[in-house]
Amino acid sequence: MDHRLFALDSLPLADGGTLPSAGIAYAVHGRLDADGRNAVLCPSYFGGDHTAYDWLIGEGRPLDTRRYCVVTVGLFGNGVSSSPSNHPLGATFPRISPQDNVDAQYRLLTEELGVTELALVTGWSMGAAHAYQWAVSYPRMVRRIAPFCGSAATSEHNRVFLAALAAALRADGGADRGRRAAGRVFAGWAASHPFWAQGGYRELGFASREEYLTGFWEEFFVAGPSTEDLLTMIDTWARADVGTTPGFDGRTEAALGSVTAEAVLLPAARDLCFAVEDEARAAALMPRAALRVIPGVWGHLAGAGATAADREFIGAAITALLATQPAAV
């Protein structure tokens, strides 16, 4: 689907700096009701763009465009929204936090699109972190959240993975060697031991492990955003923590306890990037949260709708959540 670009001029950043000439890419599916309350927001994930959730969106799908106006929006650094590769600042592009992305998205929804309330914020991985941030930053606007295969705060274990990913990208000696190495780093974290033992990549049409590593993971990094763009998103991912929202002084638990939205948290069994245990603790801290664990061996990739079973599980959870009657905003 074609995207639009919302220009924000100068965006104040959470760390005190600014992003001049900021713009975020977005797409709109369906129509907004007269009262502006049937909107669903889907922030993109690492390397993703405004097409990231097409498998969830459309008539008869969980995000049914006959009923909801679904807005998909790209994160800063994804190569379409403002990023080092397309911005005048280039290599001096500032650090971006999830709060900065959410503040920009808030302006898009309220200033450009006329949204007054969000029926749902949902997303995978980095998109999940931004769903949490929405619920903490703008609680009076968000009725429901459904973060899948993500977290409200990036764990220490996850930071180890991100450091390895960044190191591979920075070690590039030409011919995209660093980007290809980063793809192989991600491959080891994206799916579980049983996935590899069972040759799960065959379900994606790859005949061997090596064919999968080169044809899927290396290609994802080589064909995607630039190295500097990827490093910007990695830094944003590493900085995710709702406890850093103004008013919470780094207290992640207090921030989660403040969430008023109805929520279903959807971690994946065997996800090496985001542990089920962390999401179980988050669910226990949130007043109106349920935990639903995505079964299977696909790990983090389950959140991308890797298989029909994953798509059905995530879709059913979102459909059930949208059928609830949450507390008044």
Side-chain angles (χ1 to χ4, degrees), residues 245-313:
T245 308
F248 293 103
D249 302 317
R251 295 172 297 133
T252 305
E253 294 82 1
L256 286 168
S258 75
V259 172
T260 55
E262 297 283 340
V264 59
L265 314 188
L266 295 161
R270 304 179 186 274
D271 189 338
L272 300 178
C273 295
F274 299 98
V276 171
E277 299 93 316
D278 289 347
E279 289 299 88
R281 283 191 290 271
L285 290 164
M286 297 166 66
R288 299 182 179 89
L291 185 75
R292 302 282 184 269
V293 180
I294 306 168
V297 303
W298 282 75
H300 191 58
L301 284 176
T307 68
D310 295 329
R311 293 190 292 273
E312 182 177 347
F313 190 95

Side-chain angles (χ1 to χ4, degrees), residues 92-186:
T92 61
F93 196 81
R95 299 179 70 191
I96 300 293
S97 73
Q99 293 174 50
D100 300 326
N101 275 302
V102 167
D103 288 345
Q105 293 162 17
Y106 175 82
R107 288 183 56 185
L108 162 68
L109 295 176
T110 58
E111 297 175 16
E112 180 78 359
L113 300 180
V115 174
T116 59
E117 186 176 284
L118 286 165
L120 173 70
V121 185
T122 187
W124 173 48
S125 194
M126 281 185 77
H130 286 76
Y132 277 115
Q133 188 63 58
W134 260 100
V136 174
S137 290
Y138 296 100
R140 294 187 63 81
M141 189 170 177
V142 180
R143 302 294 298 275
R144 306 171 186 85
I145 63 169
F148 48 102
C149 298
S151 66
T154 301
S155 70
E156 288 300 299
H157 186 227
N158 200 184
R159 292 174 196 272
V160 172
F161 156 63
L162 294 173
L165 204 61
L169 288 167
R170 292 192 175 103
D172 198 336
D176 292 320
R177 283 193 287 269
R179 289 155 73 87
R180 294 183 186 280
R184 289 176 178 254
V185 170
F186 209 141

Side-chain angles (χ1 to χ4, degrees), residues 46-47 77-87 90-91 93 169 172 176 178-179 182 220-234:
F46 180 75
N78 77 338
V80 188
S81 296
S82 289
S83 308
S85 66
N86 63 20
H87 193 276
F93 196 81
L169 288 167
D172 198 336
D176 292 320
R179 289 155 73 87
F220 173 81
F221 275 81
V222 170
S226 74
T227 295
E228 289 302 320
D229 292 351
L230 292 169
L231 288 168
T232 292
M233 285 187 288
I234 288 170

